[in-house]
Amino acid sequence: MSSHDTVFDVNATAAPRTNSYEAGPGDVGRVLLLYSGGLDTSVMLKWIQDHYDADVVTLTVNLGQPGEDYTAVRAKAEMLGALECIVVDAREQFAAEYLAPAIKANALYGTGYPLFTALGRPLIAKLAVEHARRMGCDAIAHGCTGKGNDQVRIDATVATLAPELKVIAPVRTWQMGREEEIEYARANGIPVKGGTEVAPYSIDDNLWGRSSEGRWIEDLDHAPDDDVFNLVTLPEHAPDDPEVIALEFERGLPVAVNGERLGLVECIERTGEIGARHGVGIVDHIEDRIVGLKVRDIYEVPAATIILSAHQELERLVATIHQNQMKPMLDQRWGYLVYAGLWWEPLRSDLDAYIDAANRYVTGTISLKLYKGSARVIQRSSPHAVYDASLASFAGSGGLFSQGAAPGFIELWSLQSRMAWRVRNPDAQ
Ligand code: ARG
């Protein structure tokens, strides 16, 4: 009986399969493993060779995570028996195809998570599909747990783009805790970095930000320990002098920082460095995960904080009141789809069509003053601003605005409200 049949086998005693895409031992001969070089994926690299009797090809994707040594990652994978160790620098693609639409969509989830992990996963999984096909693999393995969002994003991407490929997520099933993993690593000649007593934070990072989970972060009542911050200077240690940063945008995307024209990757890096120095972009976030859990994350997102504030400010300046009321609703839908692992959902590209149109006139410069953790907009300029200083000024009348016409406007503007108030409060007259 094929595994497919069991889904419909009412007499089966075993629990039915819950999905179409997971592989068991025996289903696969060559696996592409998404490899970070950390403990989980290093143990996995050996474990898959043993338990699935399969060849393993590793793929490591550079999305701009600071301080990564890809030569060392590759050497480790080779040492652990990988058939081939692929390292891809996807920074430009990540910026152009994932971060650019996110900036145009002012993409945030919850009360301040700029979605850097959620944006990275579909690209990582897409690259995994491409390289798995090229290398003749029949499955993709990843190190996500069964409790997080990342498994949803990766599995959904693989199942969407490559229904012929299977997925292996050993952490969901192998039932090893950290101690057992370390034991397994020791027994199999896998180097274990650092002290083994205290579990490290669970970190994920790329060009657009860094997250930490685990340890005391799980105790909602525990104020952040300083050692969690790796990117952003603590505001209390930031310089005593403020710094102004000027961001120039063209059609919704940053093109220059402080007058220097830069590519998108460099704009993000430069802005991030300046913001981090001033303590900007620390977010202590309680999050509603896709899979139901509430979890706390500590985010360090200096570039995203500054670029999104500036973008949103400029967008509001060039758009009308009607556009300004609509856009945040669409932005919120966009951010939720991305958070929820539905990057490939057509609604997202439908929304992109509007969002791109709305960004057509988002050209101009926004300056922010950075000071001990805050980033405050202080200057705005745009050739497309729907703003006329002479009309807005207190004094004067003329041009498109007539103060004399204001009472007539108020008469009609308030008509229904006045009538309703009278009907509902007959005694008050
Ligand atoms: N909570 C964030 C998200 O779901 C960050 C997850 C970080 N991922 C990780 N494997 N540590 O997008």
Side-chain angles (χ1 to χ4, degrees):
M1 182 164 56
S2 80
S3 60
H4 193 80
D5 294 330
T6 58
V7 176
F8 305 106
D9 186 357
V10 289
N11 298 316
T13 48
R17 283 180 67 104
T18 63
N19 67 82
S20 56
Y21 62 83
E22 269 191 318
D27 295 345
V28 296
R30 183 176 292 182
V31 175
L32 182 138
L33 167 65
L34 283 164
Y35 185 64
S36 71
L39 180 67
D40 287 339
T41 54
S42 295
V43 165
M44 211 168 286
L45 176 42
K46 272 277 183 213
W47 192 89
I48 292 170
Q49 294 174 75
D50 288 351
H51 285 72
Y52 284 71
D53 192 24
D55 295 333
V56 180
V57 171
T58 62
L59 173 64
T60 305
V61 182
N62 176 359
L63 294 184
Q65 43 278 51
E68 197 69 79
D69 179 353
Y70 294 101
T71 318
V73 173
R74 191 196 300 261
K76 195 167 176 184
E78 275 166 7
M79 186 195 77
L80 298 175
L83 187 71
E84 179 138 349
C85 312
I86 308 160
V87 175
V88 176
D89 181 350
R91 284 175 295 179
E92 293 293 339
Q93 187 181 7
F94 184 44
E97 296 174 19
Y98 295 77
L99 299 183
I103 293 169
K104 292 182 183 177
N106 300 302
L108 280 183
Y109 179 69
T111 55
Y113 168 43
L115 297 165
F116 53 90
T117 299
L119 289 158
R121 293 303 187 246
L123 173 55
I124 290 172
K126 177 175 183 258
L127 293 168
V129 164
E130 288 168 10
H131 287 277
R133 283 179 169 160
R134 184 177 64 76
M135 295 295 299
C137 298
D138 36 29
I140 289 171
H142 60 73
C144 302
T145 73
K147 285 188 167 181
N149 295 321
D150 290 331
Q151 55 171 346
V152 182
R153 299 163 182 153
I154 291 179
D155 289 8
T157 297
V158 174
T160 303
L161 301 183
E164 83 281 10
L165 290 175
K166 298 284 175 195
V167 171
I168 301 173
V171 181
R172 283 199 290 233
T173 52
W174 70 15
Q175 294 188 322
M176 283 194 273
R178 188 177 148 75
E179 313 231 304
E180 288 96 332
E181 278 190 51
I182 291 174
E183 218 170 283
Y184 184 95
R186 294 240 161 89
N188 287 276
I190 301 166
V192 179
K193 267 193 292 198
T196 53
E197 309 77 50
V198 189
Y201 296 111
S202 162
I203 305 296
D204 188 60
D205 58 356
N206 62 42
L207 258 185
W208 202 227
R210 170 187 170 92
S211 75
S212 305
E213 294 175 352
R215 294 184 53 188
W216 55 262
I217 300 169
E218 292 167 3
D219 176 2
L220 304 190
D221 197 29
H222 191 118
D225 288 349
D226 289 355
D227 73 353
V228 73
F229 300 109
N230 233 274
L231 193 59
V232 176
T233 306
L234 280 171
E236 54 268 43
H237 300 150
D240 290 333
D241 292 323
E243 181 172 349
V244 173
I245 182 173
L247 286 183
E248 188 183 337
F249 288 81
E250 277 172 18
R251 291 177 167 246
L253 294 177
V255 294
V257 179
N258 293 330
E260 186 180 346
R261 267 193 100 83
L262 298 167
L264 184 54
V265 170
E266 292 72 28
C267 272
I268 292 169
E269 285 173 344
R270 184 75 57 89
T271 304
E273 282 158 24
I274 300 172
R277 188 156 72 228
H278 288 277
V280 172
I282 292 177
V283 180
D284 183 336
H285 200 238
I286 305 293
E287 198 160 292
D288 291 304
R289 277 194 185 160
I290 313 166
V291 293
L293 298 169
K294 261 191 215 302
V295 171
R296 181 187 187 194
D297 279 90
I298 302 288
Y299 294 125
E300 296 170 83
V301 287
T305 301
I306 295 170
I307 290 171
L308 294 178
S309 312
H311 175 267
Q312 197 159 18
E313 183 77 9
L314 188 58
E315 194 178 67
R316 293 186 63 79
L317 192 62
V318 304
T320 67
I321 180 174
H322 308 291
Q323 293 173 307
N324 282 335
Q325 287 177 1
M326 183 71 171
K327 179 76 171 24
M329 297 187 218
L330 302 180
D331 290 348
Q332 207 212 347
R333 285 312 292 173
W334 195 97
Y336 179 66
L337 289 176
V338 172
Y339 183 81
L342 299 178
W343 177 264
W344 310 101
E345 155 64 42
L347 177 59
R348 202 229 355 129
S349 36
D350 294 352
L351 291 174
D352 274 333
Y354 178 82
I355 290 170
D356 268 333
N359 273 275
R360 208 164 126 199
Y361 296 102
V362 183
T363 293
T365 302
I366 298 289
S367 299
L368 300 97
K369 186 180 275 193
L370 314 181
Y371 179 65
K372 293 195 185 287
S374 78
R376 178 165 54 90
V377 173
I378 56 169
Q379 287 168 298
R380 308 134 179 99
S381 77
S382 168
H384 306 301
V386 185
Y387 179 82
D388 181 332
S390 68
L391 291 182
S393 82
F394 279 116
S397 189
L400 289 172
F401 200 98
S402 158
Q403 292 204 45
F409 161 75
I410 297 164
E411 178 86 2
L412 304 185
W413 172 246
S414 64
L415 179 61
Q416 287 203 7
S417 306
R418 288 187 285 121
M419 288 170 68
W421 198 87
R422 254 170 239 181
V423 170
R424 279 148 217 219
N425 299 278
D427 304 333
Q429 285 147 65

